Amino acid sequence: MRGAGRQEAFVTVSFCLLITVMGALMLCLLEYARFYGLKEDAGEWTNLALESLFAGYQPVLLEEYGMFFLDGGFGTGTLNLARAEEEAQAMLHQSLSAKKTDAGINLYRMQAEETELVSCLLAADEDGKVFAMQAAKTMKSVIGQRAAKKILEQITEVESKTQQTDKPGEAIKEAQEALDQMKAQQEAANVGKTPDGKPQDKEAAPPAEGGQKNPLEVIKAIKKDGILALVWPKGKTVSEKTVNADHCMMKRARYQGNMKLKETPGWYERILTQEFIKPLAKNAVSPNADGALSYGTEYIICGRESDKENMKGTVKRLLAIREGMNFLYLKTDAAKCAEAAAAAAAIAGLAGSPAVLAIAEAGILAAWAYVESICDVKALLSGGKIPLLKNGACWQTQLSNLAGVLETDYKGEAEGLPYERYLDALLYMKTLKETAYRSMDLMEWHLNRIDGYSQCRMDAMAAGAQLSVRYGADTLFLGIFGKKGMDGYEFCKQAEYIYGQ
């Protein structure tokens, strides 16, 4: 009986030890599962904190431009990454706070011990490519690649035709110089001296036939009226708006992020960027009454401080395009070439050599093309259309009455390119940096005129960031082993967020 009792006691102790080992194993397994649960939660909380931070996007940029950007200056105009870290930390603290629920107690307790924005992507980064990609994303649902391709083809046609033309401005200059030189030689040849030292006239060359007006002198007189006076439609006034561009994006020291853009804008994104900003910036045909500048697209092209100066620069560029196209046409029209040759002969008289006459004829054609281009640009600013390459049917000016261009009221043609399409070509000639930064200028000036946003800066707007969070958590199921050697866990998690990705 005594031996049997000892055997039963032995079995009881063994069973207790087994229960203890199995309990410890169960606790270890539970802690192991909790460890990986905490690790997964740490990644999810990090993502959630970063997404919550970027959910506080700048409201005006979204409502009026459809663009998502986080104001990294929080309305102050000074990039404040520490403030962004504090915002993310506060969101994490609120989310991680242990709460009792009807279902029980939260067993996944941990704390965010350190929060850091390790990198950020700002609107002005990479010479405006970040802004361009955000603008393109806004427009991709509106303009597909096929529609964008048609716009690009029209731009390419303008550029291609412009490159085919000779330089009419140089032709005018060469013609004027040749005629001036011929006149000087003629005057020198007609003046001599008698033996007593008195001047004596020699046989003079016959005067110009029919009193032909020199077209080169006519356009000199026309240009004295000022470039806008030549082309501005009757009944319209030029905007007098001005801005202070001393601290525009192209001139000031800009905030720079340290996060790399994963996508590179190509031709499609470039077209989408232009199509994004044009209806918002407006132009001379469709002015922006509420904008800091009424002619925003012209500002992007020229970058001057006033609507008037931007219009002058744009008109000069348009006149150059139209003058080149018109000069190209005139040289193919035999009747008009013959008319110019007759005018050159009449101006030069009998003293004109074949070489001088040829130079004078080219200069007269160039002058005629310039005067026609005044009609064209005036029609464009009136909302009309002008074919890229004109023909005799839509030619407006007469060589015999070039000065009459100021009285014309030409409205354009039924077919052709409108003002906005010519602006497309001028915009595409700018660098992406110029287009993006000047677009941001317009948006920033608009923001600064709204109460509460007077200090906002576009280069402080963030398109994305990387957040790193260090978490700490105590052990829970291994408390029976004491804290020594088992003080808890530490997790370091990173998350990345970029608007639209």
Side-chain angles (χ1 to χ4, degrees):
M1 294 294 295
R2 191 177 298 174
R6 284 197 298 270
Q7 186 175 7
E8 289 174 4
F10 176 77
V11 171
T12 302
V13 171
S14 299
F15 184 72
C16 290
L17 290 174
L18 179 61
I19 291 297
T20 302
V21 171
M22 290 183 65
L25 181 60
M26 290 281 293
L27 291 174
C28 286
L29 290 174
L30 287 171
E31 193 64 41
Y32 183 79
R34 179 173 175 268
F35 171 81
Y36 278 97
L38 287 169
K39 190 175 181 181
E40 290 298 315
D41 274 5
E44 291 179 7
W45 288 123
T46 305
N47 280 314
L48 180 60
L50 188 56
E51 290 176 8
S52 298
L53 175 65
F54 275 82
Y57 46 77
Q58 215 292 328
V60 177
L61 295 182
L62 177 62
E63 292 169 8
E64 301 195 19
Y65 300 99
M67 299 191 81
F68 284 95
F69 280 110
L70 172 70
D71 186 357
F74 298 92
T76 66
T78 302
L79 185 64
N80 191 347
L81 295 182
R83 167 79 180 274
E85 291 172 354
E86 291 172 3
E87 295 276 344
Q89 179 79 20
M91 294 172 187
L92 280 170
H93 177 74
Q94 183 178 5
S95 300
L96 293 172
S97 295
K99 296 180 181 179
K100 291 187 177 182
T101 66
D102 294 337
I105 300 174
N106 180 14
L107 299 179
Y108 287 96
R109 297 180 181 179
M110 59 183 169
Q111 304 81 38
E113 297 179 347
E114 185 179 358
T115 304
E116 180 186 6
L117 278 175
V118 294
S119 62
C120 63
L121 189 66
L122 301 180
D125 286 353
E126 301 191 34
D127 290 338
K129 290 179 181 177
V130 174
F131 174 86
M133 289 304 301
Q134 291 298 103
K137 288 171 186 174
T138 302
M139 293 299 294
K140 278 185 177 179
S141 61
V142 180
I143 300 177
Q145 286 206 16
R146 183 178 298 179
K149 188 71 173 178
K150 290 187 70 174
I151 296 172
L152 180 62
E153 288 172 356
Q154 290 178 332
I155 292 172
T156 304
E157 185 181 10
V158 174
E159 291 181 339
S160 175
K161 285 286 195 301
T162 302
Q163 292 171 0
Q164 292 175 19
T165 64
D166 295 330
K167 297 180 179 179
E170 291 184 4
I172 293 173
K173 182 180 178 181
E174 290 173 0
Q176 190 63 62
E177 289 175 350
L179 290 174
D180 289 344
Q181 185 178 9
M182 183 197 72
K183 182 179 179 181
Q185 292 173 348
Q186 184 178 349
E187 290 175 350
N190 289 338
V191 178
K193 290 186 178 180
T194 61
D196 59 359
K198 294 181 180 181
Q200 172 181 299
D201 289 342
K202 295 184 179 180
E203 182 181 355
E209 300 176 4
Q212 171 73 46
K213 288 185 177 180
N214 186 346
L216 305 179
E217 297 298 331
V218 173
I219 65 168
K220 275 186 182 180
I222 290 175
K223 288 181 178 181
K224 289 180 180 179
D225 290 331
I227 195 166
L228 290 183
L230 296 176
V231 300
W232 206 251
K234 294 178 181 178
K236 292 182 65 175
T237 57
V238 182
S239 168
E240 297 292 339
K241 288 182 180 178
T242 61
V243 293
N244 184 354
D246 291 341
H247 300 286
C248 67
M249 294 286 291
M250 292 290 290
K251 295 180 181 179
R252 73 189 183 207
R254 298 173 296 277
Y255 290 117
Q256 293 291 322
N258 56 346
M259 189 174 172
K260 292 297 182 182
L261 185 65
K262 295 180 180 179
E263 302 171 280
T264 300
W267 71 265
Y268 181 39
E269 287 75 19
R270 179 65 189 274
I271 294 296
L272 292 179
T273 300
Q274 292 188 188
E275 293 302 305
F276 164 79
I277 198 61
K278 283 193 309 178
L280 302 170
K282 303 288 187 169
N283 55 60
V285 172
S286 178
N288 186 353
D290 299 325
L293 290 172
S294 290
Y295 313 146
T297 305
E298 288 83 353
Y299 168 75
I300 296 172
I301 293 169
C302 300
R304 306 299 291 272
E305 293 188 339
S306 70
D307 278 331
K308 185 175 288 187
E309 289 302 315
N310 288 319
M311 275 311 306
K312 286 180 181 178
T314 303
V315 166
K316 284 181 181 178
R317 290 167 171 80
L318 289 175
L319 284 173
I321 292 174
R322 289 306 318 151
E323 184 182 9
M325 295 295 100
N326 292 334
F327 190 41
L328 186 64
Y329 159 70
L330 282 175
K331 290 191 295 183
T332 66
D333 190 310
K336 288 181 171 57
C337 286
E339 196 175 345
I347 293 166
L350 298 178
S353 66
V356 171
L357 290 176
I359 294 173
E361 179 186 341
I364 289 170
L365 287 174
W368 196 355
Y370 177 80
V371 173
E372 183 74 13
S373 70
I374 293 174
C375 283
D376 294 343
V377 175
K378 193 173 183 179
L380 290 171
L381 290 172
S382 299
K385 297 178 180 180
I386 298 296
L388 187 57
L389 192 62
K390 300 181 81 171
N391 54 37
C394 57
W395 194 263
Q396 296 298 305
T397 55
Q398 302 296 323
L399 184 60
S400 59
N401 185 29
L402 293 184
V405 68
L406 300 179
E407 305 302 324
T408 59
D409 195 24
Y410 179 45
K411 297 299 183 183
E413 304 297 322
E415 299 294 332
L417 300 179
Y419 181 67
E420 288 80 3
R421 285 291 168 253
Y422 281 95
L423 291 185
D424 283 343
L426 296 180
L427 280 172
Y428 206 76
M429 293 175 189
K430 311 305 293 184
T431 64
L432 181 60
K433 179 179 179 179
E434 289 173 316
T435 301
Y437 282 2
R438 288 173 183 169
S439 297
M440 283 190 275
D441 285 338
L442 295 172
M443 296 166 71
E444 181 174 295
W445 290 329
H446 177 64
L447 267 176
N448 294 161
R449 299 169 72 190
I450 300 174
D451 290 342
Y453 304 115
S454 60
Q455 301 300 317
C456 287
R457 285 177 48 156
M458 284 300 297
D459 54 318
M461 299 294 169
Q466 287 181 329
L467 179 69
S468 177
V469 182
R470 184 168 59 85
Y471 297 90
D474 294 327
T475 58
L476 182 62
F477 296 106
L478 298 183
I480 60 172
F481 299 109
K483 291 188 176 181
K484 191 173 182 179
M486 189 64 70
D487 291 337
Y489 315 117
E490 184 176 281
F491 308 97
C492 188
K493 290 293 184 178
Q494 284 193 352
E496 178 180 295
Y497 183 84
I498 299 176
Y499 285 121
Q501 291 186 8

